Amino acid sequence: MATAAGTSLVFRQLFEKESSTYTYLLADKDTKEAVLIDPVVDTAERDAKLVSELGLKLIYVINTHCHADHITGTGKLKSLVPGCKSVISRASTAKADVLLEEGQVTFGKFSLEVRTTPGHTNGCVTYVLMDESIRMAFTGDTLLVRGCGRTDFQEGNPATLYDSVWGKIFTLPDDTLLFPAHDYKGQTMTTVGEEKRHNPRLTQSKDKFVEIMNTLGLAYPKQIDRAVPANLKCGLQD
């Protein structure tokens, strides 16, 4: 069972190719308690199989926000792994077993700090794990590798996103590892220090960032009309 160096944290980064979504499996090697972050319905069986193969007990299936580009796997995983609970922020207005505000999600000896980071959507959160031997944060669509989530639909607001990143993510130590919900160029992770220096949008002033985001002219998300209604009901929960 692969663990992060110097810690009993089990960590796997998984990928769903159609929506370029990363799903993250984290677990305590000793207690076997595990969480999945941002699972996709199309790969839920893969994720459940991996949890079983590693001998883990999946207790939470977690979303960083109500996604528009894929249907969440939380509902399907609840049927595949009886006893696990779905989790999302209360501000998302989506259905789940656990509705979060700022606080913590605990599995074994580890805890994920919940930081509200709206801007891409009202309900976006970032999950931060600060262990004595590793610092990592799961930023969803709020902050991507050298980019950020779009702000032109689903309650998006560029000024709010800018404040979220600089106030809740860039305040973490520079060596904190950052893991996004998506990447489209083959990148898998970044750090706070890298993004503070090299993110082409978020190194700009707030006014310039808002101007950039308001003039991107992006195409309408191809799965949004089926994904958002489903994800407001925890994917296939019902």
Side-chain angles (χ1 to χ4, degrees):
M1 185 186 307
T3 59
T7 178
S8 63
L9 176 71
V10 178
F11 174 71
R12 296 290 179 89
Q13 183 182 45
L14 307 165
F15 188 65
E16 192 281 312
K17 64 181 181 179
E18 292 303 317
S19 60
S20 298
T21 298
Y22 287 122
T23 296
Y24 299 96
L25 173 65
L26 294 86
D28 184 325
K29 182 181 69 173
D30 299 321
T31 68
K32 310 299 184 185
E33 290 188 338
V35 301
L36 275 168
I37 299 174
D38 285 337
V40 179
V41 69
D42 300 309
T43 46
E45 292 182 356
R46 174 204 65 186
D47 299 345
K49 181 180 179 183
L50 179 60
V51 168
S52 176
E53 289 174 343
L54 297 181
L56 302 175
K57 179 184 179 182
L58 185 63
I59 58 173
Y60 295 120
V61 282
I62 303 172
N63 280 301
T64 53
H65 64 293
C66 183
H67 298 272
D69 50 13
H70 66 268
I71 294 177
T72 178
T74 53
K76 188 169 184 178
L77 282 159
K78 280 166 57 69
S79 66
L80 293 170
V81 187
C84 71
K85 295 182 178 180
S86 56
V87 180
I88 200 168
S89 71
R90 186 178 301 278
S92 72
T93 72
K95 181 178 180 180
D97 297 313
V98 180
L99 298 175
L100 296 171
E101 296 177 0
E102 294 206 332
Q104 292 188 330
V105 176
T106 299
F107 58 102
K109 69 176 70 66
F110 298 101
S111 291
L112 293 169
E113 178 193 353
V114 183
R115 296 191 175 198
T116 55
T117 49
H120 172 62
T121 72
N122 285 343
C124 287
V125 297
T126 292
Y127 297 103
V128 180
L129 189 150
M130 301 291 271
D131 185 47
E132 60 185 16
S133 57
I134 190 168
R135 302 185 183 100
M136 55 205 317
F138 302 89
T139 57
D141 288 14
T142 299
L143 181 64
L144 308 177
V145 180
R146 307 297 191 268
C148 62
R150 60 194 294 176
T151 57
D152 58 334
F153 67 92
Q154 210 180 359
E155 314 118 12
N157 184 298
T160 300
L161 189 148
Y162 190 92
D163 290 342
S164 291
V165 172
W166 279 97
K168 298 291 184 71
I169 299 174
F170 284 175
T171 52
L172 294 166
D174 280 0
D175 63 352
T176 304
L177 306 177
L178 300 179
F179 295 93
H182 304 281
D183 190 83
Y184 309 98
K185 298 180 179 179
Q187 301 266 31
T188 59
M189 56 170 286
T190 183
T191 68
V192 168
E194 280 184 49
E195 295 307 310
K196 285 165 68 174
R197 292 189 299 272
H198 303 301
N199 191 296
R201 297 176 185 173
L202 286 152
T203 51
Q204 306 295 324
S205 69
K206 184 175 179 179
D207 287 345
K208 182 63 176 178
F209 175 80
V210 170
E211 178 186 342
I212 290 170
M213 298 304 292
N214 284 340
T215 56
L216 288 178
L218 298 173
Y220 190 72
K222 62 182 180 180
Q223 293 200 57
I224 187 171
D225 292 330
R226 60 188 288 266
V228 171
N231 290 337
L232 287 171
K233 298 181 179 179
C234 200
L236 302 180
Q237 180 166 330
D238 294 333

